[in-house]
Amino acid sequence: MKAKTAFGFARMGAALLGACLIVQPAAQAQTRGYPEKSVRVIVPAPPGSAPDFLVRLVGQKLSEAWGQPVVIDNIVGASGNIGTERAAKAVPDGYTLLFNTIGPIAVNVSLFDKLPYDPIKDLAPISLVAKMPNILTVNPGVPVKNLAELIALAKKEPGRLRYGTAGPGTTQHLSGELLNTLAGIQLVGVPYKSSAQMTTDALGGQIEVLFHNAPVLLPHLKSGGLRGIAITSAKRSPAVPDLPTMAEAGVPGFEITAWFGFMAPRGTPQAIIEKIHTDVARIVASPEIQERILSQASEPVGNSPAEYAAFINAEIAKWRAVIKQANVKAE
């Protein structure tokens, strides 16, 4: 009986080993030669935006590593939903990827009654590239130099101070609404179709207050075109060490950070996802890219697909609570 049992285990072990030997070459075959043609990366944000800067930075290095063009396709509209839907419904062969922004993946789920895609069921995480805070700024003509003075002015003249938003549910929008909620003030959100026009109007004084991604605002802080008030991350940034966090400046519990990463249509072979992740993580960890991202007051990441999936689930829950608290609705 023992001999039969031992023989049975031996046969089972041989079968499992055989299966492993079959699966391994199959996985290698899926990535051997990949990519054999150009790879399209959809980014649901306009040229010149913060995610556009990041995807082109990493995309250039991927193109060099793969020996194939990495084509950046900016598809904007509907708070990022249009580009994200196209990526989610693309052929899952590794030749169409999404460089996702926070809104369509973690915010719009709670902001819209119905989305044309499911960020969890229709998309597979590859790697989170970077986290990026907003910076709260004011036009130099506004007579405030810190957050306490801004809140005091807003309370003195409720409804007079305007801040720009790049659309409902964007981090600019939610930053303003969260400040209104936590500080008990009434900044008025002014929606813009173009992030560039929003920034231009802030520089020109057509709007008094602007929350925006750090890379967009850093040049204007250095030139004096806008006055920095605070940064929305949990910690100060080495790029602007003198700029306090919102919590340090007097609004405890205020933390909003945009984030951007690579995803693929669900069903993309896992071996291809792992290859892309390995290459992206190596690029993000390189000294050159680390320096470029840190210089933009952002945090480089480059985590695994499993870690990115867990992060996305946590962010969906977090933003659901923020949206409910601020009573934000899609327009």
Side-chain angles (χ1 to χ4, degrees):
M1 183 69 177
K2 290 182 179 179
K4 289 184 178 180
T5 303
F7 179 69
F9 280 127
R11 290 182 62 186
M12 183 182 300
L16 289 173
L17 177 60
C20 291
L21 291 174
I22 292 171
V23 170
Q24 187 176 5
Q28 291 175 345
Q30 286 179 322
T31 58
R32 188 180 297 125
Y34 172 86
E36 298 178 328
K37 59 182 180 179
S38 63
V39 176
R40 176 192 186 203
V41 182
I42 294 175
V43 53
S49 62
D52 183 70
F53 160 79
L54 283 172
V55 72
R56 292 180 189 277
L57 182 67
V58 178
Q60 178 183 351
K61 296 298 182 181
L62 285 174
S63 180
E64 293 171 3
W66 292 343
Q68 296 289 351
V70 173
V71 180
I72 309 303
D73 191 359
N74 300 87
I75 300 178
V76 300
S79 299
N81 293 344
I82 294 175
T84 303
E85 179 188 9
R86 290 193 191 176
K89 295 181 178 179
V91 176
D93 58 3
Y95 289 96
T96 299
L97 305 176
L98 172 69
F99 192 75
N100 68 270
T101 59
I102 176 177
I105 301 302
V107 176
N108 293 356
V109 179
S110 299
L111 196 66
F112 290 81
D113 292 334
K114 186 177 181 180
L115 290 178
Y117 60 90
D118 186 313
I120 301 300
K121 295 179 180 179
D122 297 338
L123 290 161
I126 297 175
S127 187
L128 174 62
V129 169
K131 297 178 181 179
M132 184 177 292
N134 283 339
I135 294 177
L136 169 59
T137 64
V138 296
N139 180 276
V142 180
V144 302
K145 289 186 170 58
N146 54 53
L147 186 55
E149 291 179 356
L150 177 62
I151 291 172
L153 179 60
K155 287 184 175 179
K156 181 180 178 181
E157 303 180 48
R160 184 179 80 82
L161 298 179
R162 298 158 294 180
Y163 74 96
T165 82
T170 58
T171 58
Q172 297 94 347
H173 182 204
L174 291 176
S175 292
E177 292 300 327
L178 186 58
L179 180 58
N180 280 344
T181 299
L182 296 181
I185 58 178
Q186 296 178 29
L187 301 179
V188 177
V190 178
Y192 284 85
K193 293 182 178 180
S194 162
S195 172
Q197 186 59 50
M198 177 178 71
T199 304
T200 298
D201 278 7
L203 290 165
Q206 282 77 24
I207 54 174
E208 295 78 18
V209 180
L210 179 64
F211 282 96
H212 211 334
N213 297 139
V216 176
L217 294 183
L218 287 176
H220 302 301
L221 297 183
K222 292 176 182 177
S223 69
L226 292 170
R227 179 182 298 139
I229 300 296
I231 195 164
T232 64
S233 50
K235 298 179 180 179
R236 294 195 185 201
S237 167
V240 278
D242 295 332
L243 204 61
T245 67
M246 294 288 289
E248 288 176 329
V251 184
F254 193 110
E255 180 190 353
I256 288 181
T257 305
W259 43 268
F260 314 98
F262 284 94
M263 303 182 81
R266 184 69 68 178
T268 300
Q270 189 62 30
I272 290 179
I273 287 176
E274 291 292 346
K275 174 177 172 50
I276 298 170
H277 158 254
T278 298
D279 291 338
V280 168
R282 175 181 51 78
I283 290 168
V284 172
S286 68
E288 176 190 355
I289 300 302
Q290 290 263 318
E291 182 180 354
R292 293 288 300 277
I293 293 176
L294 288 168
S295 72
Q296 299 299 306
S298 302
E299 176 189 350
V301 185
N303 60 6
S304 70
E307 290 168 334
Y308 195 16
F311 176 83
I312 287 172
N313 284 325
E315 284 288 290
I316 288 174
K318 170 187 172 180
W319 286 95
R320 183 181 295 117
V322 170
I323 289 169
K324 182 178 180 180
Q325 180 183 24
N327 193 30
V328 178
K329 299 185 183 299
E331 297 173 2

